[in-house]
Amino acid sequence: MDKNKTIVRFAPSPTGFLHLGSGRTALFNWLFAKKTGGKFLLRIEDTDKVRSEERFLEEILEDLKWLGIDWEGPLTHQSHRFELYREKAEEILAAGKAYKEGEAIIYKVEKGIEIELDDIVHGKIKFNTDEIKDQVMIKSDGSPAYNFCCVVDDADLGITHIIRGDDHISNTPKQIMFYEAMGLTPPRFGHMPLMMGTDGAKLSKRHGGVSVEEYKREGFLPQALANYLILLGWSPGDDREIISLEEAAELFDINNVSDVQSKFDAQKLRWINGEYIMASDTKDLLPLIKEQLLAAEVDISNVTDEYISEIIDLYKVRMKTLGEFPAMTDHFFKDDFEMEEKGKRKYLGKEGNPENLAIFAGELANLNTFSHETIEEVCRKIAEERELKAAQIIHPTRMAISGKTAGAGLFEMMEVLGKQKVLERMRRVAK
RNA sequence: GUCCCCAUCGUCUAGCCUGGUCAGGACACCAGAUUUUCAUUCUGGCGACAGGGGUUCGAAUCCCCUUGGGGACGCCA
């Protein structure tokens, strides 16, 4: 093993979906490994056989990959290593540093000792063993206790840096004791402040979701989520807000990770996501958009990819999440779309408007080339002849063909919808 | 309760380590410009060093206290 190589790990517990905060921790470990040319390993903390489930593990691995995180080598399953933990615990017991209580093996904590931790993000933190109770190493049922097997594994895997959440700070002195009990030098620790909800409380569903998977489902792009998570607690130094994982890995400096806890801001995530959507190629968006349409139970069996792509081109700049697409574009996929009441009253009730619509429709019927240029030409011509503002024709038409007051450019929408549907819809409301 | 972490605009942050540039940027918000609506884009505006003591010629920056927020105190991980 290369002595100078950094080795870090992410150690999820497959008892639920990948939490946003865990995703962020994984990202920082990955970034640190990339930056230092080290290794990023994955260890599965599945000692709790009751709560651990295979489907959670699969989902977690999928979410990590989705975020752009890759890892080296095979997974380490703690559930496969119970013998190793027992062996180590027996050694400590034999050395007289532990005692048995029933089947459990418990480490005897020596009181009155100062343990100093030189944390990478916080600096020096001191603990006194007077505050620490004797520590279970092996539980009565034979399974290892977290703090113990964590140390056995980190030592065994040659982990050089442990980057994890602040909620582990109080575990650290306990773990340092175990390293010492086994005659090992502890690795470097770095504790990152936790990510909180907008109101300062623990991140929970009412803040808009806690698992990576939920954001994927809502139509956030992985690059955008990763970008946002990275910026929460670290900054590239200049004023950049949009940064790829690769660039971040080059610029990353673990010493610049903030020691201040942050609040999750869904607004900013949405903005970043919008930036990524706008910059995406339509062909890359297409399969994702189709998933969203299917999830929203939109019937796309009769439309082509080309048709959907044209619509994506029109709405790319308008969505903050891909999940917004189906509602924004329902009129492209069905004829019985909803009519916004306010817009209906404002644009289809007024005197003259239905008549203008009829005239516009009549002129459009004569068009051979139904493109946004030719449509616009006709529209502006009518406006001029009838001494109207083009808007007076445009707004009612928009209502007629989309049922909405907001959306993509009218003429582009009409071109994509096609002459037949456009005329049908216009005549439906015209006089 | 005990121990621990933390404190710059509403939010994310730069600046802090190595005291001295109107405390800079982004999101959000507000106004204006462009535009057929919305969105985009471009201008401008609003808006912060938690409070109090020190140290110093000088403190957002160093020290202490208070207050406030968060975390941990499991045979969960």
Side-chain angles (χ1 to χ4, degrees):
Chain A
M1 213 175 279
D2 188 342
K3 266 203 161 166
N4 298 315
K5 205 162 188 176
T6 56
I7 305 177
V8 297
R9 48 64 166 185
F10 175 62
S13 194
T15 53
F17 294 134
L18 184 67
H19 186 100
L20 274 184
S22 304
R24 175 162 157 269
T25 302
L27 240 14
F28 277 97
N29 273 284
W30 184 89
L31 247 24
F32 180 63
K34 287 286 168 212
K35 172 65 184 192
T36 56
K39 282 189 191 178
F40 174 81
L41 310 178
L42 227 48
R43 179 171 76 228
I44 312 306
E45 312 222 312
D46 52 356
T47 57
D48 186 335
K49 285 173 182 159
V50 180
R51 294 201 301 142
S52 298
E53 289 182 36
E54 187 64 25
R55 66 182 178 111
F56 288 134
L57 174 57
E58 281 166 17
E59 180 67 42
I60 288 168
L61 298 182
E62 203 176 296
D63 290 345
L64 288 171
K65 281 186 244 169
W66 180 75
L67 273 176
I69 295 173
D70 52 6
W71 55 89
E72 278 188 51
L75 306 181
T76 302
H77 283 84
Q78 290 191 321
S79 60
H80 301 170
R81 296 157 67 85
F82 280 18
E83 270 180 40
L84 173 65
Y85 309 133
R86 170 162 294 278
E87 202 176 289
K88 294 292 177 188
E90 298 277 5
E91 282 173 24
I92 292 171
L93 180 64
K97 296 174 184 164
Y99 55 91
K100 289 193 88 163
E101 204 173 274
E103 289 304 303
I105 305 178
I106 299 169
Y107 182 75
K108 183 152 179 42
V109 174
E110 195 181 336
K111 298 293 175 186
I113 307 238
E114 281 257 303
I115 293 179
E116 193 178 87
L117 159 67
D118 189 10
D119 193 274
I120 302 169
V121 339
H122 290 292
K124 287 184 169 42
I125 304 175
K126 284 177 183 159
F127 306 90
N128 192 299
T129 55
D130 286 346
E131 318 286 343
I132 303 173
K133 291 193 279 189
D134 285 355
Q135 295 293 306
V136 173
M137 294 188 289
I138 303 294
K139 303 183 209 171
S140 301
D141 66 358
S143 66
Y146 169 73
N147 280 126
F148 183 65
C149 60
C150 183
V151 168
V152 172
D153 283 335
D154 283 331
D156 189 53
L157 296 168
I159 302 300
T160 59
H161 299 259
I162 294 177
I163 298 160
R164 57 188 0 175
D166 261 0
D167 50 341
H168 282 286
I169 290 183
S170 58
N171 282 326
T172 306
K174 300 169 187 172
Q175 297 187 181
I176 288 174
M177 287 189 314
F178 286 135
Y179 281 100
E180 285 169 357
M182 291 188 279
L184 300 165
T185 307
R188 290 297 309 276
F189 292 91
H191 292 93
M192 308 196 333
L194 303 177
M195 180 170 69
M196 312 303 291
T198 334
D199 52 2
K202 236 184 199 139
L203 199 57
S204 66
K205 278 124 278 164
R206 80 198 133 86
H207 298 113
V210 291
S211 67
V212 170
E213 177 269 341
E214 284 170 83
Y215 287 85
K216 174 163 57 172
R217 205 154 16 93
E218 276 183 48
F220 285 88
L221 295 176
Q223 302 90 322
L225 220 211
N227 190 149
Y228 176 72
L229 257 16
I230 286 171
L231 251 33
L232 220 55
W234 177 75
S235 128
D238 52 20
D239 289 328
R240 277 211 300 168
E241 306 286 338
I242 302 298
I243 186 167
S244 70
L245 271 184
E246 291 68 33
E247 290 173 287
E250 278 173 38
L251 298 170
F252 188 70
D253 182 354
I254 186 77
N255 296 304
N256 281 343
V257 171
S258 169
D259 59 357
V260 185
Q261 74 183 189
S262 52
K263 296 189 176 105
F264 178 81
D265 181 4
Q267 288 284 12
K268 185 138 188 185
L269 206 211
R270 287 173 58 77
W271 174 76
I272 289 179
N273 200 49
E275 293 291 307
Y276 276 87
I277 291 175
M278 272 191 266
S280 293
D281 283 340
T282 296
K283 66 170 165 33
D284 296 328
L285 257 18
L286 179 64
L288 303 173
I289 287 292
K290 283 168 87 172
E291 271 177 42
Q292 292 291 342
L293 289 168
L294 256 17
E297 297 181 328
V298 175
D299 179 13
I300 55 171
S301 56
N302 294 316
V303 298
T304 61
D305 282 359
E306 198 191 356
Y307 179 69
I308 300 174
S309 297
E310 284 172 0
I311 302 168
I312 294 174
D313 281 334
L314 296 184
Y315 285 86
K316 216 155 66 164
V317 77
R318 282 162 242 263
M319 358 169 210
K320 296 299 179 207
T321 69
L322 303 180
E324 293 168 355
F325 188 85
M328 280 178 144
T329 61
D330 62 343
H331 54 285
F332 283 100
F333 300 97
K334 61 181 181 188
D335 294 317
D336 58 336
F337 50 84
E338 292 261 323
M339 281 274 179
E340 283 177 22
E341 270 312 315
K342 247 173 64 189
K344 199 172 162 186
R345 257 181 279 124
K346 189 169 176 191
Y347 296 120
L348 298 181
K350 272 193 187 163
E351 303 225 348
N353 282 338
E355 194 192 335
N356 293 333
L357 267 180
I359 292 168
F360 190 20
E363 290 285 326
L364 288 175
N366 298 326
L367 273 174
N368 292 322
T369 311
F370 202 72
S371 71
H372 68 270
E373 289 100 338
T374 58
I375 298 167
E376 179 161 8
E377 211 176 296
V378 169
C379 174
R380 303 229 179 251
K381 197 188 75 193
I382 295 172
E384 202 179 323
E385 285 169 2
R386 309 204 42 156
E387 295 186 336
L388 296 166
K389 281 186 168 176
Q392 285 176 275
I393 300 174
I394 288 170
H395 294 313
T397 309
R398 173 189 306 287
M399 265 321 285
I401 70 161
S402 75
K404 296 172 180 53
T405 54
L410 174 69
F411 308 123
E412 283 82 359
M413 276 203 290
M414 292 169 88
E415 177 181 333
V416 171
L417 269 170
K419 188 170 170 179
Q420 195 192 331
K421 276 194 188 303
V422 166
L423 291 181
E424 268 171 28
R425 291 180 187 182
M426 287 176 79
R427 285 173 177 149
R428 203 159 65 180
V429 297
K431 288 246 159 60

